[in-house]
Amino acid sequence: MTLLTIQQVWPGRQGGAVFTGKDDQGKLHRVVAAATVLHRPPGRGEQWDVAGPAKVHPRYGAQIHAERAIPVRPQGELLRRFLARNKAFLGVGEARARKLWDHFGETLYGLLDGQDASSLAEVLGEPLAASLVEAWGETRAEAEVVRWLEAHGFPVALATKVSRLWGVAAPEKIAENPYRMLAVAGWARVDAAALDAGAPPDCPERRIAAVEATCYRVMGDKHTALTEQEILEGIQRLLRCSPETAQEALALAEADHAVVRAQNGLWQSLGPWFMERFVHDRIQERVAEEDAPSGHLFWAKPEDARIQELVEAFNEQAGLNLTVEQQHAVWLAMTQRIGLVLGGAGTGKTSLLKAVHFAQEQTGGHLHAVALAGRAAMRLREATGRSARTLAGFLGALDRQELSLGGSDLVVVDEASMVDLPLAYTLLRRLPSECRVLLVGDPYQLPPIGMGVVFSALAEDPSVPKVELTQIHRQAATTGIPAVARRIRAGEVPELPAFTGLGQGISFLACRPEEAQGHIIETLGLFGGIKETQILSPIRRGPAGITAINAAMHGLCATGKATWSGLATGDPVIHLENDYDALVWNGSLGVVTEALADGARILWDDHEKGITYREDRREALDLGYAISVHKAQGSQFKRVVVPVFPSRILDRTLIYTALTRATEQVVFIGDRSALETAVAAPPAPHRRRTGMVA
């Protein structure tokens, strides 16, 4: 180990850091540390113990490639430099740090450890002294946590999560009950560490932890609840105990409020139980209040006759004729504190949203349109001609108090079936009760990526006001896609004709997995290329998976073209994260307009000008010839090609979601029996166990 006082730090592109530090002889060392080694980049003036082999870089010379890097408490006069240079001790500086050292000397350690702000105030004054002892406690706790993690075989990167959970109390919390580490790590590692630290194998803490770990495992599979048999079997497996001991452990966990028996007889961890009860209760409060508030300073709930006038005015302006269902949905949005609009492909949800926008504007109200995915928000903007933002952006605006919502405001959440339990909880917790909420979506689409099912559960709750759009509009009906989609969502396996080329509707091309790429390429050739077609693969691996298809298509299309970091001019690409500065969202699709020697210029679908990407942003990009069905939610394409082969995630909702992304033509390529089996089986939302009850 080499003890270094940090001089300069350069955060790494993929986490981790490169930094320089002086040893006790004053020699300067350069260190390269990966994200798996560091829980955070070091701070200037800190002391770190670093260990690892030295390697010679052709440009930078000798570098230590850290295998261990741990912050330590500074010794002697180094404490003065530590206090002066570390950003955690804002306001201290060189002069005050020297005064502290000159005044207290070595006793300064005891004053800081003892949180003796009153003595330190003799030099710093009370506010700065209080701030210093608080920051010192945090840095000391961090070092203790890192050392404990390393000693017990945990990745030191977990230190940030641990500190975020328990702050300066983290060392005491872990020492008191090592099983608290289940909040950030798995059972096997936590149990081994706790037993190594002296926890008795039959102690109550271990038994309760086994119950919690069983619940966490189920939550990893997106469930929020489990049966008593499941939880008892899980306890027996983790503790290797008898059924009687497992029953005792469950009783201990219930008494400790680690788990709760839900109203429907299932068991839940406290977090999901609380969030589901909150969502349920907040929805029921809105249902009980029923009508939107009247007599607002700038807005009053419109009468039914006024809403009818607005509908007629919209019809005349837009050249449309809203159905009775759509008109009822407009009334729902304008009068109720909570409402759901359910509708599948081709049922006129977009026309409805335009009408609701119109009604809000004409009555002096404001509509806040949001969607979970960035591409879904972009499509919402394009469809309505009004502003829309991601749910994360909307919640951020509320947190920053940029929005002040009241009875005149209507929040419309499009593609609401994609919203998971934690997001639904966060949204309803942020919104004032007088603000109206309209959830629009298709309960038969894919369930959320995160845990829980909210929209589908509310759709089945008879107490929640809702309108279902069922009438297929003429333009959508001509393709045959909505009719087949309706049959598939009902679990009926349709007779799909063989694929014969460019056209309309849904067809099937049977083949083996190893033949899929060839057939996809031939199909795209008949379609005139990839431009108006999107490949949607349920899986990432295998010959018909996203990775293999993208590699094959890139290899075919990149021949003779300029390339950079696996991207060629003309390649379609997908963005993998939200970039609020560039206004490019997770799921945004674009095309490489120019591959450069050190980057690529990309034009995104909703942008007028291209954006240049360098190596430090390469991880945000992936080839977009094939994308996942989840990434495609909220988007529409003229044609889609969907490889279907047996897989764990292939189910009715995935197939339904994939085919409803197309406006003209769908081609399924693969195993017909896999398609039929998936359609016939219960859809994913109904397989998730939750505590949501009507």
Side-chain angles (χ1 to χ4, degrees), residues 134-145:
E134 180 181 0
W136 176 266
E138 291 173 357
T139 57
R140 185 184 65 168
E142 175 195 50
E144 291 180 23
V145 167

Side-chain angles (χ1 to χ4, degrees), residues 481-504:
I481 293 174
V484 173
R486 182 172 289 183
R487 292 186 61 189
I488 284 179
R489 79 182 196 185
E492 300 177 19
V493 181
E495 289 292 332
L496 299 180
F499 173 64
T500 57
L502 186 65
Q504 288 192 334

Side-chain angles (χ1 to χ4, degrees), residues 38-84:
L38 293 178
H39 67 287
R40 65 165 175 85
R44 184 169 174 264
E46 293 180 346
Q47 283 196 304
W48 284 62
D49 264 338
V50 177
K55 299 180 182 180
V56 178
H57 188 277
R59 179 176 176 184
Y60 299 110
Q63 299 183 136
I64 298 173
H65 285 252
E67 295 174 348
R68 273 186 82 207
I70 300 174
V72 298
R73 173 171 153 146
Q75 301 297 315
E77 192 170 329
L78 285 175
L79 174 60
R80 176 184 61 77
R81 298 180 199 168
F82 180 55
L83 295 177

